[in-house]
Structures are given as C-alpha cells and as structure tokens.
Amino acid sequence: MERRDALYFQTVLLNRHAWRLKPGVVCGLILLGSLCTGVGGARAPLGSRPSLVWQQRFDGGFNGTFLRSSDGRVVVSDSRDGSLWIWRDGGAGRQIRQPATSNAPTWPDTISDDDKYVVMRSPSVQIIDLADGTTVAEERKDFPGEAGNIIGLQNNIFYYSDYDGKMMYVYNIKSRQMLFKTNVAPELKSISTGQIGSSGCIKKDGTVIYDKNDVIHVVSSKTWSEIATIDVKLMTSNRQSAYAYSCEFGDNLIFLKIRLNIQDSQGFNTVFVKELLYDYKKQQLAPSKYDNYLHPAKQFQTIHLFQGFELVTSSDVLKNCGTSDENNESYFDDSSATVDLIRQKDGKKILTTCYSRRTEYDLHSMLPDALWYSNGRLEEGNYDGYTDALTSKIVKRYGATPLNILKTSCSGLGVLTLDYGTLQLYDIKSGKIMSQIYKNEDHTVETGNGETVSWSLRGSTAVAAAKSQLTVFKLPPQLTQTTCQGPSEALQGDARAPFLELQRQAVLQVQADHFKSQLVRSVALNGDGKKVALGYKGGDVQILDVQTGKVLREWRDQAAAVLDVAWSPSEQALAYSNEAGQVWMHDLQTNAAIGSGQLAPARRSDLDAEHQPLWIREIQWNPAGTHLAIAGSWGELYDWQPHKSPIRLLATHSVEKGFTALQWSDDGTRVIAGQRDGGVTMVDLKSHTVVQSWSTGQGTVLSLTVQGDTITTLGQDKTLSQWRIEQQRTP
C-alpha cells in the first residue's frame, strides 16, 4: 500500500460539535503537530520475543473444508492452513498433518471407499494416508498428468481426468501401474455423481463410466477395456439437451436422465425430461418404473444426482421462504427457487427446501461435497460441521471456532466465545478449558447461516446478540466475585458443577426502522450490567434498558455496519466505530458529539474491500477513560482524546499488517494491538514508539487480553496462546 503520511487528517473542521479531517494540507498546521508525531511508526530497539507460557489449539483448524466419506464414518478437514484433521465414527478429532509453511490453499476432494485415504489438492493433487498423514502418491511424481477432475479412489485404484478433460486415467496406487488411459476430448460435459468438478462415476465392482462426445462409455475393471456405450444423441434427436447419469443402482445398471429443450413452430421452448435404467451387460433397457418417455418439466428445472437421490431445483417459490439477503451464506444461495429431494428408487419426494443451488444443468455437477442426506435430513457443511439445510440447526460439530476472549471479575478465569453462541471457561494460568458454561443447544440464541453471536459480560449479567434478538442471562455468582483468584475457588474443584451455567432471564426483540438496522453486529454492557449498547448492520446505535428493552438513547449517523461499541469507564461517554473507518464519541450527559470523524483513507477504485479493508473492528478506552485507542484495518493505529484531534501512533502502510484487535496495558501507558498477519505490536503512548513486537505465527489475531505482564492472544487458526512480556524501560 502507498505511503500516505501527509494525505489524511490534515485539516480540522468544527461543525455541530464534530470535526472532520480532510486531505491536501501537509503536516505542521495548527492542531496537527501531534498527529504527525507517530507517522511512519517510529520504533525503539525491540526487546526479546516474549516467552510462550502456554498454548491451546482447538479441534480442527480455521475455515476447514469438511468432507464426509460415502459411509458417513469418516470426516476430514483441511483447516485452510495446510494441516489435516480427521474424525472417525463420531470420536474426537485428530490432527494428522501439521500446518504447511506456504500459504497455498489446500482442500480435500475425495475419500477412498475403504476410508483409508483422502485425495487432497495442496495445490498439487496428493493421496494422503489417513492413519498418519503421509503422502502415498502425488501427481507428476507418481501418476502422470494433472488430476484436474477426480472421479474417485476405490480398491486402491485412482480414477481421474486432466484439467482440460482431454485424457482419462485409471491408476493403481499400490502397484504404481497405469491400468487404463484414453483420450476423452472434447471436454466432458455430463453431470455425474462424483465430487465437485468430476465427470464419471464408479460402480462397486470398479467398473468406470464416463462420457465423451455425448456418448457414455463403460470400462470393465476385470479387463480394463470398453464393454458398452450409450449414445445419448440417438435419444435426443439432436435437440438441445443435457444429461446426468448415476452408478447408484444395482449390478450392470446405469441410471440416465435427459433434459430436452424443444421449440415449437412459434418459437416457444418447452422443457421435457426422460428417465431410463440401462443394463450395459445386456445392452438393453432394464425393467423399472422409468418408462423412457418424455414428460413435461418446469422451465428452469435443474437436477443433481447423489447418494441415490435427485436434488431438483425449480422456479417454484414457497410462501414461507426468506429473502436472498438472509440466505446468502448458504450453499442454496438463490431464494427465488425451491429444491425437492427425491429418492430415485421409488420417486418419492422426501423434502422440500426454500433454497436453490445456482448451477447450469449442462456443466459438471456443482453439488458440493458438504451436502449429505442422513436420518431424514438434508445436511450442509459449514466451517465447523454440518447443519440441517431446512432449519439451520446444528446437527454435528467437528471442532469449534473460538471468536473472542472475554474477561470475568474472577482474575483467574477467562471466557471464550465460540461460534453458534457457545461459551467456555478457561484457566488463565494454564489455558486449560475448565467448563462449558453455555452450549446454546436449545437455540435460545437464534443464529442463521453465516451468523455469529456477539457477547458481553459485565457485573452479574451476560447478553448475547444475534440477528434481531437480545438474550439476557445471569452469570454464575462464582464468576462475579472480584476476590476470586483462580479456578479452584470459582469451580470448587468440580469443572462440571451445574451452578456454572448461565441462567436465562429474558429474550428481547430489538426495534429498528429497517431490515438491516435490525441485525445486531456489536454489543457492550455498562459496568453494572443494567444497560446495553447495540450497534447494527444498518449503522444505527442504541442504548437499551436490559430488563425492559426500552430504548434509552439512539443515534443514526451512517449507513455502514457498526463493528464495535465501547462505554468509557465512567460511563459518561460512548464510542462506536464502523466498517467504513468512521468513529464517534458521544457525551451521554449532554448528548453532544465530543469527537467524530473519518479515519480511514478514501477507497481506491482499483482495490476491492478484501485488499483495502476500511473497517475499525475494535476501539478501547484506557483505564482512566481519557484516551480512546482505535485499530484501523488498513494499517493505522490511533490515540484519540475527546475534544481533540486524533494522534496516529503507528502506520504500517500495509493491509496485511492492518490492526484487528486492541487492548491497553493495566496502567494505561501502552497500547497492545493484534494484526492481520499474526503480529502483535506494543506502542508506548507517551513517546509513540514501538517498544515490542513479535509474530504469533497463528494467523490473524482475532482477540487479545492483557493481565499484568501476560498477553493472551486468539489466532485465526483456532490457537489460544499466552505470552509473558519482559519488563522494559520506557523509551
């Protein structure tokens, strides 16, 4: 990112108790001498790297792609950091491969039929032993070509075609022999029951079925020679068509479904579907309920075949379906259509969902590996497991994703917030998880696809905000005692004590003027837990009475989502920030703005939000309530006093080193900031110099807390760590 030393915050405009900084004037003008003090991030000699006190890594890595075996007994996650996790038969997760040194993306593609191997892309295709994580075979080194489209791994035989769809291969990973190879150009164009991007399917006896030039070919696993063909063109009379086939039926049988677009004399298109079951050994149609006749279909109908089911998307709209905005995190991301799950063997409709999968019928199957039908449910994968595709309720979680670290009045215990509203208690001295104080298994805190829960703990109260709902809980008294020094006093030797559970007191529906404003994005309780500040997706901010839900104060400043709200220690001021890089401070006694402005730079037109994020995710008041620290995701750190202009403490000039988490030292003399690249930087408030910095090596720092000479960090790779800082002389 370009240097912007003299580009921002160069003039001050006083207007309606608020000032706003504008570009164009060099440093040194009135009121801005202090702003330029920290420009460029002046650094004192760095101290030694803090010592690692303890480290706790949670089951499964960050943003894992989950893949389930065909029998449902094995689940594999790649963790997106190069590590590999496996869960067998519902047991605990086990890491069988350490994180990679490179940042190249990895993901699992196919699990073998015997659950012994997984085919990984990392980025080259590798076959990994699930017992110990070792590489059994790798493309180019062990098997020829590039495995662009993977059909499957069965009986130690790997079936694949190249990226261009020109060559198909059958390779024995044990004997290292190529069993079959053929030119299948032009590009394969069917929809089959294989994995994402695959073409072709494998019968239980190893027979492979693939298509070429609208002709389906059957290759015997006994002779590795072609034994049958099905010419789809003869069934379509050269009309515009697409087809799908499945290997899920019995011996020597292949199910084929064809969609035809037939144009009448007036130029109108009508869609027809025909289905048949073909016996490739007898070279004839097999007796079945499928009659091989054309049947009218819905105009925009698309069909996927998997696990002996059809997933049929049509343009029907159900009255109780939500809006696309609500479902945009789902695999079924187009709410303008519905999906029917139909069992192939008898044609029975099993269920209907409100969501559709946006795909083209005449391309390879785009049905995600994360979809699974089990126990009467259509399940979809997410970052931590599987949820019911109809209700979004959690079905099975493989590992958990910690999101934030919260302090309690008990100095020896901390709280971790996890996705889906779970809260865990941990020992600050050892990092050991002591207890799960809230599970959200009854979905009291309602979450949807892609939704997280914002928690705040103050006094004897805890609140959870998700969507447009605020849930109020009473904290266990053991966590509210300021005299508590450690887990033995709070837990009384029993980590499973039932009294260490949150007690629900109320569920409040928040009130706002429009849909986006009703989605809560940030929450903060005041000191006694009787008032709560809420920041909304639509940009509104409210202060509510926790017991009644009555709106006590409200601000409608901007249209950008409010990412953080913070009470001053005296509770006489409230600050909040948003994803557009703006900050406000309000005096709660006079309701006047005591500071407001645009801290983020103007967005560059050549960069998207990912490469030029402007959000301010965290703001923190110092213990005295006289300074507000602000973490800018674009790579700038600020100190701001009410009624004054902000001071830029540090500029990294790098989005990769942008600031994501923030805390003050206990004495309020230093600011400790976590960064997007996993770094932690400590800045002295008086001298504006960096007195310590180091890399956690755990991805983006999501959250951190400070207690004396120790700093606890939560990394994007699901690692919770504590570091001990050497006491250093202030520069």
Side-chain angles (χ1 to χ4, degrees):
M1 186 170 287
E2 299 174 355
R3 287 185 61 89
R4 298 184 297 271
D5 294 350
L7 186 58
Y8 312 116
F9 312 112
Q10 277 84 12
T11 62
V12 176
L13 176 63
L14 227 36
N15 182 18
R16 294 182 183 177
H17 304 287
W19 60 265
R20 189 170 297 271
L21 297 168
K22 298 182 179 180
V25 183
V26 298
C27 292
L29 291 180
I30 186 169
L31 296 179
L32 291 181
S34 59
L35 178 63
C36 299
T37 303
V39 171
R43 294 176 180 266
L46 300 185
S48 61
R49 188 175 188 266
S51 58
L52 181 63
V53 181
W54 51 256
Q55 195 170 83
Q56 168 80 27
R57 190 171 189 195
F58 287 76
D59 208 6
F62 172 72
N63 275 6
T65 299
F66 284 84
L67 178 67
R68 190 155 29 180
S69 61
S70 58
D71 58 11
R73 297 184 59 186
V74 172
V75 172
V76 174
S77 172
D78 67 296
S79 304
R80 290 302 188 202
D81 61 1
S83 63
L84 189 62
W85 289 74
I86 179 174
W87 292 260
R88 283 190 182 273
D89 297 320
R94 182 167 63 92
Q95 186 175 358
I96 60 174
R97 214 169 201 192
Q98 295 300 313
T101 55
S102 68
N103 293 323
T106 65
W107 64 92
D109 194 296
T110 302
I111 297 176
S112 63
D113 63 321
D114 57 7
D115 297 341
K116 291 183 178 180
Y117 306 101
V118 62
V119 182
M120 295 283 298
R121 299 182 184 274
S122 57
S124 64
V125 174
Q126 300 179 22
I127 299 174
I128 308 298
D129 191 320
L130 289 177
D132 55 15
T134 58
T135 300
V136 175
E138 185 174 358
E139 68 179 359
R140 300 189 190 92
K141 293 182 180 179
D142 301 295
F143 49 88
E146 295 182 342
N149 300 308
I150 296 169
I151 301 174
L153 177 57
Q154 185 171 303
N155 297 323
N156 298 318
I157 297 175
F158 184 38
Y159 303 78
Y160 65 98
S161 63
D162 60 17
Y163 283 101
D164 296 329
K166 295 180 179 179
M167 298 292 296
M168 200 199 77
Y169 305 87
V170 179
Y171 179 78
N172 190 310
I173 64 173
K174 290 293 186 180
S175 65
R176 309 276 176 167
Q177 291 181 326
M178 181 60 65
L179 304 177
F180 180 79
K181 181 172 70 172
T182 185
N183 184 346
V184 294
E187 182 177 352
L188 301 174
K189 58 180 294 185
S190 71
I191 307 174
S192 72
T193 60
Q195 308 295 343
I196 291 177
S198 67
S199 293
C201 56
I202 310 166
K203 301 288 287 184
K204 290 184 178 180
D205 64 359
T207 297
V208 60
I209 299 172
Y210 68 96
D211 58 295
K212 169 185 177 180
N213 296 342
D214 294 336
V215 176
I216 298 173
H217 300 258
V218 182
V219 176
S220 169
S221 60
K222 296 179 180 179
T223 62
W224 295 116
S225 60
E226 187 171 283
I227 58 173
T229 59
I230 305 172
D231 193 336
V232 181
K233 295 191 297 294
L234 296 178
M235 303 179 185
T236 63
S237 301
N238 292 321
R239 296 187 179 97
Q240 183 180 356
S241 65
Y243 56 92
Y245 52 91
S246 169
C247 293
E248 300 287 344
F249 286 80
D251 295 341
N252 308 317
L253 297 178
I254 178 173
F255 171 78
L256 176 63
K257 191 158 191 169
I258 303 173
R259 190 190 71 172
L260 296 172
N261 289 325
I262 300 178
Q263 191 174 80
D264 61 21
S265 59
Q266 296 181 349
F268 294 101
N269 282 328
T270 304
V271 177
F272 292 88
V273 171
K274 67 187 306 185
E275 301 169 307
L276 58 96
L277 200 62
Y278 188 78
D279 187 324
Y280 52 76
K281 185 175 182 180
K282 296 180 180 180
Q283 301 277 315
Q284 62 184 30
L285 294 177
S288 70
K289 72 180 188 68
Y290 305 110
D291 55 16
N292 194 29
Y293 289 110
L294 291 175
H295 297 277
K298 294 168 183 175
Q299 184 69 27
F300 300 107
Q301 189 179 67
T302 61
I303 300 169
H304 304 289
L305 308 179
F306 76 113
Q307 291 181 264
F309 294 91
E310 299 178 22
L311 198 63
V312 181
T313 303
S314 66
S315 56
D316 290 344
V317 178
L318 300 183
K319 293 182 179 179
N320 60 343
C321 287
T323 66
S324 58
D325 285 343
E326 292 175 309
N327 301 325
N328 61 10
E329 296 290 340
S330 171
Y331 279 111
F332 312 104
D333 54 3
D334 181 3
S335 64
S336 64
T338 58
V339 171
D340 294 327
L341 184 71
I342 299 173
R343 188 165 54 204
Q344 283 184 298
K345 67 179 182 180
D346 57 12
K348 181 180 179 181
K349 183 188 294 187
I350 305 300
L351 56 84
T352 298
T353 88
C354 293
Y355 314 113
S356 71
R357 178 68 175 144
R358 280 187 273 194
T359 59
E360 296 294 336
Y361 190 92
D362 56 352
L363 297 178
H364 302 310
S365 174
M366 295 298 292
L367 185 67
D369 300 316
L371 280 179
W372 181 263
Y373 183 75
S374 174
N375 299 321
R377 287 189 303 261
L378 181 63
E379 301 171 10
E380 60 174 316
N382 51 52
Y383 289 150
D384 293 307
Y386 286 81
T387 58
D388 189 313
L390 288 176
T391 65
S392 297
K393 303 297 185 184
I394 301 167
V395 175
K396 175 66 177 177
R397 180 177 294 140
Y398 299 95
T401 298
L403 302 175
N404 198 12
I405 312 173
L406 301 177
K407 288 184 176 181
T408 69
S409 297
C410 178
S411 60
L413 291 170
V415 170
L416 280 174
T417 74
L418 294 91
D419 56 349
Y420 300 106
T422 303
L423 290 188
Q424 289 186 346
L425 201 64
Y426 75 94
D427 180 2
I428 289 178
K429 293 183 178 179
S430 67
K432 179 181 178 182
I433 302 299
M434 306 302 299
S435 165
Q436 192 157 251
I437 60 176
Y438 187 68
K439 299 179 181 180
N440 200 28
E441 289 183 346
D442 61 352
H443 304 284
T444 299
V445 179
E446 182 184 356
T447 61
N449 290 316
E451 293 288 338
T452 58
V453 181
S454 298
W455 283 91
S456 181
L457 278 60
R458 294 291 295 272
S460 61
T461 306
V463 293
K467 302 182 77 172
S468 58
Q469 181 175 286
L470 186 71
T471 308
V472 184
F473 299 89
K474 183 178 180 180
L475 284 174
Q478 290 78 7
L479 300 183
T480 65
Q481 299 170 2
T482 57
T483 57
C484 166
Q485 296 298 316
S488 60
E489 295 181 35
L491 302 179
Q492 299 178 1
D494 186 0
R496 297 166 296 176
F499 55 76
L500 280 176
E501 293 182 358
L502 302 187
Q503 299 177 17
R504 186 178 66 184
Q505 292 185 315
V507 178
L508 306 176
Q509 294 295 328
V510 300
Q511 301 295 323
D513 290 340
H514 51 90
F515 172 73
K516 284 189 176 182
S517 282
Q518 293 176 10
L519 300 179
V520 180
R521 284 294 178 261
S522 52
V523 58
L525 283 164
N526 71 335
D528 60 11
K530 294 182 179 180
K531 299 177 183 178
V532 62
L534 301 177
Y536 295 87
K537 182 178 180 180
D540 294 353
V541 174
Q542 291 178 338
I543 295 179
L544 273 62
D545 183 292
V546 168
Q547 296 302 319
T548 65
K550 180 182 178 181
V551 177
L552 305 176
R553 294 284 180 86
E554 187 171 24
W555 296 272
R556 300 175 181 176
D557 289 297
Q558 294 293 328
V562 178
L563 301 181
D564 199 14
V565 287
W567 297 83
S568 67
S570 66
E571 299 182 16
Q572 294 182 359
L574 183 76
Y576 50 94
S577 62
N578 66 20
E579 64 181 7
Q582 298 165 315
V583 176
W584 288 262
M585 291 185 284
H586 288 279
D587 187 314
L588 297 181
Q589 294 182 326
T590 65
N591 208 34
I594 54 177
S596 66
Q598 174 83 30
L599 299 184
R603 186 178 297 282
R604 287 173 51 184
S605 60
D606 59 328
L607 293 177
D608 57 21
E610 173 67 19
H611 295 90
Q612 193 188 19
L614 302 183
W615 38 258
I616 297 175
R617 181 165 291 167
E618 189 147 16
I619 52 178
Q620 289 283 341
W621 290 96
N622 69 335
T626 55
H627 294 257
L628 183 72
I630 302 162
S633 63
W634 58 93
E636 292 178 333
L637 186 65
Y638 289 91
D639 167 39
W640 197 350
Q641 292 179 270
H643 301 293
K644 295 184 178 181
S645 57
I647 298 172
R648 185 165 56 190
L649 297 176
L650 181 64
T652 66
H653 308 292
S654 169
V655 168
E656 287 70 26
K657 297 181 182 295
F659 297 103
T660 57
L662 200 61
Q663 283 291 334
W664 288 86
S665 61
D666 290 345
D667 61 7
T669 62
R670 293 176 177 180
V671 176
I672 299 94
Q675 295 171 255
R676 196 178 189 187
D677 64 352
V680 177
T681 300
M682 183 185 299
V683 182
D684 182 79
L685 184 64
K686 184 177 180 180
S687 64
H688 304 164
T689 56
V690 176
V691 295
Q692 188 114 27
S693 67
W694 72 95
S695 174
T696 63
Q698 296 157 10
T700 299
V701 178
L702 302 178
S703 180
L704 61 85
T705 59
V706 178
Q707 190 171 32
D709 64 348
T710 62
I711 297 175
T712 303
T713 61
L714 176 61
Q716 193 178 34
D717 68 349
K718 297 186 180 183
T719 300
L720 185 69
S721 305
Q722 189 176 93
W723 313 84
R724 177 161 285 114
I725 306 298
E726 283 189 16
Q727 294 297 325
Q728 299 180 32
R729 180 177 59 84
T730 302

